[in-house]
Amino acid sequence: MKEWYLEYQIHKNRPGLLGDIASLLGMLSINIVTINGVEDRRRGMLIRSTCDDQIERFHSILNTIDNITVIKLREPHLRDRMAIRHGRYIERDADDKKTFRFVRNELGLLVDFMAELMKKNEHSLIGIRGMPRVGKTESVVAASVCANKRWSFISSTLLRQTVRSQLADDELGGNHIYIIDGIVSTMRATEKHRILVNDVMRLPAVKVIEHPDIFVRETEFTLDDFDTIIELRNDESEEISYDVVESGFSSFDIS
């Protein structure tokens, strides 16, 4: 069985429209996995079929229905699955496709999105930008729980400033999420800690870097090394700025 994501725009939501489409799917032996409204006057479906020809035939018939326009019919991307679950698309940067934007009242969506990224037992580097006390670290920990992964703070300011210089034996392995505060690790830490950070960065596991812009500014890594960048704001108009970050104390030390 192969999954597909269908999304269509509704021009006239006449009674029985969804029933007609569902009946058509049934006649073609295509199973419906999930249905949800997506954005304004759009409906998304996750469907499953054993034959690509059935999907092509279904697509051709849908194009003859006047009340709808097919927007997408493809193998589902992660954003498609999130849209089905939450009823809206995650905002993505128009120029940098690996940058995704969230605001604080979307923490549930953010946690679900990060959890899906973390479920893969392979190297993945995630950066998360945001001002102090917006919920960055809490979201990373919650996503680790949802992904059924253990997490280890390499550096953090969640409860008090954490700066590790070594890992325990049970903290090694692909089932771990390693959380690094880019400001603490590059501007507040010892040489032993920096050696540990370099060792962690080479591990085949998921690493989450808070404040990735400071991290790449102070290390040999670049933003191109990141697989995903997440921006979290209190509201859509908030500017993420690091102008206050110096070698001394700043509000980022209690984020």
Side-chain angles (χ1 to χ4, degrees), residues 10 13 16 35 48 61 85 89 91 109 118 129 134 143 157 163 168 170 173 187 191-193 214 216 228 235:
I10 301 172
N13 194 13
I35 303 175
R48 194 174 289 159
I61 298 172
R85 291 180 196 172
Y89 265 98
E91 183 182 350
L109 176 59
M118 293 173 174
R129 297 179 176 127
V134 74
T157 59
V163 181
D170 63 354
M187 304 183 71
E191 183 62 27
K192 284 186 177 180
H193 173 79
I214 302 299
V216 301
T228 307
D235 56 70

Side-chain angles (χ1 to χ4, degrees), residues 4-50:
W4 298 80
Y5 176 71
L6 166 68
E7 183 178 314
Y8 58 87
Q9 180 81 37
I10 301 172
H11 304 299
K12 182 180 179 182
N13 194 13
R14 60 171 176 79
L17 177 60
L18 178 58
D20 291 345
I21 294 174
S23 297
L24 178 59
L25 286 166
M27 287 187 288
L28 292 170
S29 299
I30 301 172
N31 298 326
I32 300 174
V33 180
T34 312
I35 303 175
N36 200 0
V38 178
E39 304 295 347
D40 184 38
R41 297 186 67 82
R42 288 191 184 185
R43 183 171 286 129
M45 288 187 183
L46 197 61
I47 57 179
R48 194 174 289 159
S49 173
T50 57

Side-chain angles (χ1 to χ4, degrees), residues 19 39 42 55 95 120 131 141 150 197 206-207 216 223:
E39 304 295 347
R42 288 191 184 185
I55 297 297
D95 298 320
K120 300 177 180 179
M131 298 303 287
V141 171
R150 298 181 63 186
V197 169
V206 177
K207 280 81 67 174
V216 301
L223 288 177

Side-chain angles (χ1 to χ4, degrees), residues 17-154:
L17 177 60
L18 178 58
D20 291 345
I21 294 174
S23 297
L24 178 59
L25 286 166
M27 287 187 288
L28 292 170
S29 299
I30 301 172
N31 298 326
I32 300 174
V33 180
T34 312
I35 303 175
N36 200 0
V38 178
E39 304 295 347
D40 184 38
R41 297 186 67 82
R42 288 191 184 185
R43 183 171 286 129
M45 288 187 183
L46 197 61
I47 57 179
R48 194 174 289 159
S49 173
T50 57
C51 179
D52 291 353
D53 290 340
Q54 293 169 323
I55 297 297
E56 292 177 6
R57 193 174 309 150
F58 174 61
H59 192 191
S60 298
I61 298 172
L62 285 184
N63 287 333
T64 67
I65 301 177
D66 295 333
N67 301 126
I68 67 170
T69 298
V70 176
I71 306 297
K72 296 166 186 171
L73 183 58
R74 65 190 184 197
E75 294 185 41
H77 301 167
L78 178 54
R79 290 180 72 227
D80 300 329
R81 296 185 186 277
M82 293 297 102
I84 282 284
R85 291 180 196 172
H86 296 271
R88 61 175 298 274
Y89 265 98
I90 296 169
E91 183 182 350
R92 185 162 63 176
D93 189 282
D95 298 320
D96 183 3
K97 298 300 184 182
K98 68 181 180 183
T99 299
F100 300 86
R101 298 193 177 109
F102 299 83
V103 293
R104 186 173 173 80
N105 63 10
E106 299 172 330
L107 287 183
L109 176 59
L110 169 58
V111 168
D112 196 11
F113 176 67
M114 281 199 293
E116 290 297 327
L117 296 176
M118 293 173 174
K119 285 177 182 178
K120 300 177 180 179
N121 288 312
E122 58 186 35
H123 167 77
S124 180
L125 187 57
I126 303 170
I128 180 165
R129 297 179 176 127
M131 298 303 287
R133 296 172 297 281
V134 74
K136 300 182 299 297
T137 308
E138 296 89 335
S139 298
V140 175
V141 171
S144 302
V145 174
C146 291
N148 198 28
K149 297 281 187 83
R150 298 181 63 186
W151 70 91
S152 291
F153 287 114
I154 307 303

